[in-house]
Amino acid sequence: MIEIMRTNDPVVISFVESLLKEAGIAHFIADSNMSIMEGSLGVLARRIMVDGEREMEARQLLKDAGVEQELRS
């Protein structure tokens, strides 16, 4: 799995997760439990991971959806 995004914004996470699910791109939201354990202060960002074979497709999907500013290089 490859990290393509890191954010504290629950709206962005939900939106991206919905887009990836609809496109059939395997993904995983890492650090969700750590974010809850630290008290949801927003210190620890959650990472969105995708299947390495579909990384470029996922990146293009998110660019087309207008969230390219959140993408990691």
Side-chain angles (χ1 to χ4, degrees):
M1 293 251 158
I2 306 290
E3 177 185 349
I4 61 168
M5 185 178 290
R6 187 178 295 195
T7 184
N8 292 327
D9 188 334
V11 174
V12 171
I13 292 168
S14 179
F15 179 59
V16 168
E17 193 169 22
S18 175
L19 289 171
L20 294 172
K21 185 176 180 180
E22 187 174 311
I25 298 173
H27 63 282
F28 175 74
I29 308 300
D31 303 325
S32 292
N33 293 332
M34 291 304 295
S35 186
I36 292 168
M37 287 180 61
E38 57 89 10
S40 297
L41 297 173
V43 176
L44 296 173
R46 287 178 243 165
R47 297 176 292 147
I48 299 175
M49 317 286 283
V50 297
D51 181 16
E53 294 177 3
R54 299 193 65 191
E55 176 187 5
M56 297 312 294
E57 181 183 354
R59 288 182 179 279
Q60 188 60 53
L61 176 70
L62 299 180
K63 284 179 185 176
D64 293 345
V67 290
E68 67 273 3
Q69 72 278 4
E70 299 284 343
L71 289 172
R72 308 267 303 173
S73 53

